[in-house]
Amino acid sequence: MASQARVDLDGCPIKPITICMIGAGGFIGSHLCEKLMSETPHKVLAVDVYNDKIKHLLEPASLPWSDRIQFHRINIKHDSRLEGLIKMSDLTINLAAICTPADYNTRPLDTIYSNFIDALPVVKYCSENNKRLIHFSTCEVYGKTIGSFLPKDHPLRQDPEYFVLKEDASPCIFGPIEKQRWSYACAKQLIERLIYAEGAENGLEFTIVRPFNWIGPRMDFIPGIDGPSEGVPRVLACFSNNLLRHEPLKLVDGGQSQRTFVYIKDAIEAVLLMIENPARANGHIFNVGNPNNEVTVRQLAEMMTQIYSKVSGEPPLDSPTIDVSSKEFYGEGYDDSDKRIPDMTIINRQLGWNPKTSLWDLLDSTLTYQHRTYAEAIKKSIAKPVAS
Ligand SMILES: NC(=O)c1ccc[n+]([C@@H]2O[C@H](COP(=O)([O-])OP(=O)(O)OC[C@H]3O[C@@H](n4cnc5c(N)ncnc54)[C@H](O)[C@@H]3O)[C@@H](O)[C@H]2O)c1
Ligand SMILES: O=C(O)[C@H]1O[C@H](OP(=O)(O)OP(=O)(O)OC[C@H]2O[C@@H](n3ccc(=O)[nH]c3=O)[C@H](O)[C@@H]2O)[C@H](O)[C@@H](O)[C@@H]1O
């Protein structure tokens, strides 16, 4: 390993550290573990209730990094081993959360407990033991844009001041309490405020990450294959599932909401910079997204349909999309963020990071992965007679 030669952004050699990564078995965690094992000398204490997405990094024992990664099957809601692991580490990264919108209005208590209450001991142990914390929040803390409250044809809607989301300037605008969609964003906002206060009052060294729709391989699950048949994952997996099953893609409330998507591998580069440049990352909140990859959900559906047809060699359906109301799709209490463009000034200034991959390229490689991983399994599951 080229570990001796590695230097940080200020030219200082990077010392190997031990990282307690909570939620390491999830989508982002699996990519971060992969990066840390293949490109750095750091050690990871990987905490999660599942390890399917990092199995390839844990076995066999002959893997070159096998002495640098340890899996701990721990539910952080109730496990006294957590504090010990944080004490043994130089840095804690907390990724654990319920973070699928289908849960926010249907399981609001679990959502609030997971994103606020369960994160509290992690913050407390880091603060009390003088350990650095990188906490994963979300772009959803911004909620709706200021511009969304203007009339549809108002010229100020085109003014970036009314929609670009800035860590140190934009307000957090959520809907009413009965719109339980915002339970997640609100819990994330309060834990951000608590971490910030621990920094201000008790000197906690922290970095807060606000991901803007990171997507790529291993995101969520394909219903009925590696997750519950009735489960509703995030949009990438929903649309992949529809394409794999030759079903129309469901556009919630017309698919008019806008998102910027960033490739997981680009985003992981940003996290590695935060890990290895504490002096530049501590005390900051970072947007991590790709402002150049903006589409409406309808455009995303059209692009994925076109790319999947190329990847699979199968022609698209005559009617590739279908409209569905949010009440029908998510149930009562759903609401939506209208538009999400990250301001990149702070991450650029502190870490010099920029995303590289275009939406077309990232969807091409992700859908190639989805097809290779799931097409056969879907065919078999469709062919299987339903048990009576
Ligand atoms: N993927 C994105 O674009 C995105 C966007 C915004 C915010 N985030 C945030 O980033 C973090 C990671 O997201 P992800 O996409 O990898 O989600 P994910 O669901 O794939 O990963 C979360 C992991 O945390 C684990 N976990 C949850 N509760 C736990 C508990 N009590 N004890 C132990 N492990 C537990 C889960 O098993 C899962 O493996 C979350 O905090 C999420 O809110 C992600
Ligand atoms: O990824 C992020 O940055 C954050 O945003 C996501 O929220 P959202 O983007 O609304 O979730 P998706 O499920 O990816 O949905 C995106 C859009 O597609 C729509 N959608 C989703 C699924 C579907 O089948 N059809 C459809 O039109 C949704 O209504 C929404 O407008 C989740 O809240 C979190 O994972 C995360 O914090």
Side-chain angles (χ1 to χ4, degrees):
M1 172 141 328
S3 54
Q4 282 88 338
R6 300 180 71 251
V7 291
D8 66 17
L9 291 171
D10 298 304
C12 303
I14 294 167
K15 288 197 203 102
I17 57 168
T18 299
I19 301 169
C20 173
M21 195 191 299
I22 307 166
F27 163 58
I28 296 176
S30 72
H31 286 273
L32 187 53
C33 285
E34 224 167 63
K35 183 89 172 171
L36 289 165
M37 291 304 111
S38 61
E39 292 181 27
T40 81
H42 307 308
K43 204 169 156 181
V44 173
L45 308 177
V47 174
D48 206 304
V49 280
Y50 304 112
N51 67 7
D52 315 38
K53 296 184 185 187
I54 51 169
K55 270 245 160 73
H56 62 293
L57 301 171
L58 302 172
E59 293 163 3
S62 57
L63 287 167
W65 50 73
S66 61
D67 58 337
R68 290 194 289 114
I69 185 162
Q70 256 176 36
F71 178 67
H72 297 263
R73 196 177 299 279
I74 286 179
N75 185 334
I76 62 161
K77 276 186 194 295
H78 39 67
D79 202 306
S80 56
R81 288 173 293 174
L82 182 63
E83 185 171 11
L85 294 177
I86 290 177
K87 278 185 176 169
M88 280 164 65
S89 308
D90 303 288
L91 163 68
T92 294
I93 301 180
N94 190 9
L95 294 148
I98 288 177
C99 54
T100 36
D103 292 318
Y104 308 163
N105 57 317
T106 54
R107 298 169 58 203
L109 285 176
D110 287 342
T111 301
I112 294 167
Y113 271 76
S114 169
N115 284 284
F116 182 66
I117 306 285
D118 300 346
L120 281 177
V122 178
V123 180
K124 180 170 160 262
Y125 298 148
C126 287
S127 191
E128 287 174 356
N129 295 290
N130 295 317
K131 298 292 182 178
R132 187 178 169 219
L133 171 67
I134 298 182
H135 185 84
F136 272 70
S137 180
T138 171
C139 59
E140 286 211 9
V141 295
Y142 294 110
K144 296 172 186 257
T145 63
I146 306 173
S148 71
F149 295 90
L150 294 168
K152 282 260 172 305
D153 53 356
H154 198 288
L156 283 178
R157 274 195 175 232
Q158 307 308 317
D159 181 342
E161 283 298 310
Y162 287 74
F163 62 80
V164 173
L165 303 168
K166 298 184 181 173
E167 299 93 327
D168 55 354
S170 298
C172 301
I173 308 175
F174 304 153
I177 302 300
E178 65 190 34
K179 294 284 186 196
Q180 296 201 76
R181 157 59 185 257
W182 303 108
S183 58
Y184 168 77
C186 193
K188 287 278 203 198
Q189 187 197 155
L190 190 54
I191 198 76
E192 277 200 25
R193 290 193 185 275
L194 184 107
I195 292 167
Y196 197 90
E198 279 290 348
E201 290 190 32
N202 295 326
L204 172 69
E205 291 184 343
F206 73 87
T207 302
I208 290 170
V209 187
R210 291 182 180 166
F212 280 65
N213 291 80
W214 299 8
I215 62 173
R218 295 197 291 270
M219 185 167 198
D220 298 336
F221 57 90
I222 295 298
I225 303 296
D226 53 6
S229 329
E230 300 307 315
V232 180
R234 285 170 284 188
V235 69
L236 174 83
C238 284
F239 286 176
S240 300
N241 183 41
N242 299 144
L243 291 165
L244 285 154
R245 293 179 189 276
H246 306 284
E247 297 165 351
L249 280 58
K250 293 181 177 158
L251 297 179
V252 172
D253 292 338
Q256 290 314 302
S257 297
Q258 290 167 294
R259 295 288 187 273
T260 49
F261 293 94
V262 65
Y263 193 34
I264 181 72
K265 290 185 195 298
D266 288 355
I268 290 295
E269 296 272 350
V271 183
L272 186 59
L273 286 167
M274 293 174 207
I275 294 172
E276 298 192 325
N277 293 276
R280 287 166 176 259
N282 284 345
H284 287 283
I285 301 177
F286 291 117
N287 286 343
V288 181
N290 188 335
N292 306 315
N293 279 350
E294 190 186 35
V295 278
T296 62
V297 174
R298 179 178 289 278
Q299 287 166 332
L300 175 75
E302 287 163 0
M303 216 184 223
M304 285 181 67
T305 302
Q306 202 183 338
I307 295 172
Y308 189 70
S309 169
K310 177 179 85 71
V311 164
S312 65
E314 295 152 6
L317 297 174
D318 291 339
S319 306
T321 60
I322 181 170
D323 283 357
V324 43
S325 74
S326 54
K327 191 167 169 198
E328 212 180 310
F329 192 81
Y330 288 113
E332 206 68 64
Y334 182 74
D335 200 356
D336 208 353
S337 302
D338 52 305
K339 184 172 176 76
R340 287 183 186 158
I341 303 216
D343 181 90
M344 305 299 291
T345 311
I346 297 182
I347 192 157
N348 245 295
R349 184 188 67 214
Q350 294 302 118
L351 302 171
W353 178 82
N354 276 305
K356 300 184 202 107
T357 315
S358 70
L359 186 56
W360 180 276
D361 287 351
L362 76 86
L363 289 175
D364 196 337
S365 60
T366 304
L367 287 174
T368 302
Y369 170 89
Q370 303 287 58
H371 185 68
R372 212 178 47 222
T373 310
Y374 294 109
E376 273 309 307
I378 295 256
K379 253 188 220 147
K380 277 192 197 140
S381 81
I382 292 172
K384 222 188 314 179
V386 181
S388 57

